[in-house]
Amino acid sequence: MSRPTRLTRSMLFVPASRPDMITKAARSEADAVCIDLEDAVAPNDKEQSRANVAQAFNELDWGGRVRMFRMNGLDTPWAYRDIIEVVEAVGAHIDLVMLPKANRAADVQFVDTLLTQIAMRQGLSNQIGIEAQIETAQGCMNVREIAAASPRLEALIYGPGDYAASVRMPLASIGEFDANDAVYPGHRWHYVMQSIVVAARAHGLRCMDGPFAGIRDQEGLERACRIARAMGFDGKQCIHPGQLATVNQIFAPSAEEIAWAEKVVAAYRQAQAEGRGAIMVDGKMIDAANIRMAQTIVEAQALRSAKDAKDAKHMD
């Protein structure tokens, strides 16, 4: 079972209880939209909000955006019905299910089993993937096993707020920098973030950074994005449409990076055609690692171009 390649520089959360916001999200700059049944929805609204998720996936034109919903955690009374009611209704129109607070491999496998049974019953031909949020101490400890839990698993996601609460690290606001960061000699969240990146890459998964709560703190958002990209993350979750342009720009390869990558890939293909092993680009020797990095950039640019084309058609 091969995993699809998806463009997910930005992932916009939108409450399942707000159909008006879902409609706007489907026309936003986001690469992926996640309709949230978990934290963004009050307990009394969770069950009726499932119908909003189904209606949105069935009726809205999503353009080139990745479509997903976040179910409630497996420690709640809503989780299994979230999957059954939404996927049975509109499974053919769903790309991914996000599992919050994944603590062990069995959590991912439970979701996989439900999706597989529903797919058989409904005759679904599409492969619905899973994204697992790592946001507890137990999840961090078991991230290697979680990453290998299921062929449906496509991504690991860092959840900074719940993780901070789980390990009792003081945090004034989710994803933001505060006085505790100033006194700590280094990056306080490096261990969990790098653990997620390494586990994800070892198993061919994407990895996403968690949200940044300061919707008016442009400088802080840019800093958080650049740190996450430097650590190897593919993109970042967003809680407001105003964050999307910044996130998309920082997690996209620059024009200079694209030009370099295209030149390297072209030189590699020419060398292969001529039976040469050594490659020189701009006076520098290019090795296998350079070629892999260049191919990754070219593939990412192709995905972005494809999404832009779908979005342009969507707007016509």
Side-chain angles (χ1 to χ4, degrees):
M1 188 182 296
S2 60
R3 293 183 173 94
T5 302
R6 306 190 195 274
L7 179 68
T8 56
R9 297 165 301 174
S10 58
M11 176 196 298
L12 178 62
F13 274 119
V14 59
S17 54
R18 293 289 304 275
D20 58 324
M21 295 178 68
I22 298 173
T23 300
K24 292 178 181 178
R27 300 194 301 264
S28 71
E29 297 178 74
D31 289 339
V33 175
C34 181
I35 307 178
D36 189 18
L37 284 165
E38 196 211 15
D39 287 348
V41 178
N44 290 340
D45 295 333
K46 289 184 183 292
E47 294 188 5
Q48 54 264 41
S49 292
R50 294 172 188 147
N52 295 335
V53 180
Q55 183 178 10
F57 286 140
N58 187 51
E59 297 181 1
L60 295 179
D61 182 352
W62 293 87
R65 291 159 196 79
V66 177
R67 303 156 298 177
M68 70 180 81
F69 73 95
R70 179 164 69 171
M71 58 183 284
N72 283 280
L74 297 183
D75 58 345
T76 75
W78 303 291
Y80 81 105
R81 295 302 308 175
D82 288 344
I83 300 173
I84 292 171
E85 292 187 24
V86 175
V87 178
E88 282 193 347
V90 288
H93 304 294
I94 297 172
D95 296 311
L96 296 158
V97 174
M98 187 184 300
L99 170 64
K101 300 178 182 66
N103 288 323
R104 53 198 180 123
D107 295 346
V108 176
Q109 291 159 357
F110 171 82
V111 177
D112 184 331
T113 298
L114 269 184
L115 289 174
T116 299
Q117 291 180 343
I118 294 169
M120 289 190 294
R121 182 181 185 277
Q122 301 296 106
L124 298 178
S125 59
N126 58 309
Q127 173 73 22
I128 299 175
I130 300 171
E131 296 197 345
Q133 290 187 280
I134 306 301
E135 44 189 346
T136 64
Q138 189 177 8
C140 182
M141 284 185 61
N142 294 328
V143 68
R144 295 181 183 181
E145 292 77 13
I146 291 170
S150 163
R152 284 188 187 270
L153 187 65
E154 293 188 22
L156 298 179
I157 304 170
Y158 173 45
D162 283 300
Y163 181 79
S166 176
V167 298
R168 301 182 186 179
M169 291 175 69
L171 181 64
S173 183
I174 295 174
E176 293 191 73
F177 305 94
D178 57 27
N180 297 289
D181 294 283
V183 299
Y184 188 81
H187 187 258
R188 287 202 296 151
W189 314 102
H190 183 273
Y191 174 76
V192 61
M193 292 176 72
Q194 196 62 63
S195 296
I196 290 170
V197 171
V198 170
R201 299 312 187 201
H203 294 278
L205 309 177
R206 299 186 303 277
C207 46
M208 295 290 291
D209 189 22
F212 186 86
I215 59 176
R216 294 182 176 86
D217 183 2
Q218 179 68 19
E219 183 179 345
L221 174 63
E222 291 182 6
R223 179 185 174 194
C225 288
R226 295 191 188 284
I227 289 173
R229 190 182 183 211
M231 294 180 73
F233 284 88
D234 294 303
K236 190 170 182 64
Q237 294 178 322
C238 301
I239 59 172
H240 191 278
Q243 298 176 324
L244 294 171
T246 296
V247 172
N248 283 341
Q249 187 272 322
I250 292 177
F251 282 96
S254 66
E256 292 77 12
E257 289 174 316
I258 294 169
W260 171 84
E262 290 175 343
K263 189 179 294 186
V264 169
V265 170
Y268 174 63
R269 289 172 179 165
Q270 183 175 350
Q272 280 189 315
E274 297 173 356
R276 293 185 289 109
I279 304 173
M280 294 285 290
V281 173
D282 296 336
K284 296 181 180 180
M285 184 66 69
I286 300 298
D287 62 12
N290 294 126
I291 294 168
R292 286 193 294 271
M293 287 188 291
Q295 290 170 331
T296 298
I297 292 172
V298 170
E299 289 168 2
Q301 176 61 14
L303 283 173
R304 184 170 65 170
S305 297
K307 175 184 178 291
D308 290 344
K310 288 183 180 179
D311 287 347
K313 183 178 180 181
H314 166 69
M315 296 301 292
D316 289 341

